[in-house]
């Protein structure tokens, strides 16, 4: 409110973008497209395979990271995940309501496919 008693729209507070914020947006875009169940580990598996050429367990073991704790991965790996998940979230948000599918498995497969395709593109920009 200003001094005359009129309400004003508040500007949302700004915060530093972190891997956790990017990941939250990514998972929300999956949910908003109807993804459920095993889709979450499946997209991470597909993304990891395309970005790093290995599975999740191999990535953590090979880099000395603690499983389930991305913050323990080397910075370039964390950045690769953040970039890819930001781009993929943009694409999935654009596709909300259009992925379709008769079964949950079909919907999940389409989401995994979008994630895999975006990760292939992201990998082209990475130095490895």
């Amino acid at each position: 409110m200003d001094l005359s008693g009129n309400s004003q729209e508040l500007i949302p507070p700004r915060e530093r973008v972190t891997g956790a914020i990017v990941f939250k947006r990514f998972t929300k875009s999956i949910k908003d497209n109807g993804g459920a169940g095993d889709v979450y580990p499946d997209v991470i598996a597909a993304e990891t395979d395309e970005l790093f050429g290995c599975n999740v367990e191999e990535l953590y073991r090979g880099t000395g990271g603690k499983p389930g704790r991305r913050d323990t991965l080397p910075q370039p790996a964390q950045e690769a995940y953040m970039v890819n998940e930001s781009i993929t979230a943009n694409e999935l948000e654009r596709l909300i309501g259009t992925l379709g599918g008769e079964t949950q498995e079909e919907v999940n497969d389409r989401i995994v496919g979008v994630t895999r395709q975006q990760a292939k593109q992201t990998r082209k920009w990475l130095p490895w």
Side-chain angles (χ1 to χ4, degrees), residues 11 15 22 41 43 47 63 72 74 79-80 82-83 88 90 95 99 110 115 121 128:
I11 298 172
E15 59 185 311
V22 171
V43 297
E47 174 183 38
T63 61
T72 66
E79 290 174 358
M82 285 178 63
V83 167
T88 303
N90 283 337
L95 295 173
L99 287 179
R110 289 188 175 125
T115 302
Q121 293 299 315
W128 56 81

Side-chain angles (χ1 to χ4, degrees), residues 19-76:
I21 290 170
V22 171
F23 185 71
K24 183 178 178 181
R25 179 173 167 235
F26 176 56
T27 57
K28 182 180 182 316
S29 69
I30 291 168
K31 181 180 178 186
D32 290 349
N33 272 286
D38 288 341
V39 72
Y40 299 100
D42 291 349
V43 297
I44 300 304
E47 174 183 38
T48 302
D49 178 49
E50 293 299 336
L51 290 176
F52 306 109
C54 62
N55 67 40
V56 175
E57 183 180 304
E58 292 167 335
L59 175 65
Y60 279 88
R61 188 176 53 244
T63 61
K66 294 178 183 176
R69 296 254 333 261
R70 283 193 182 174
D71 63 319
T72 66
L73 291 172
Q75 184 176 341

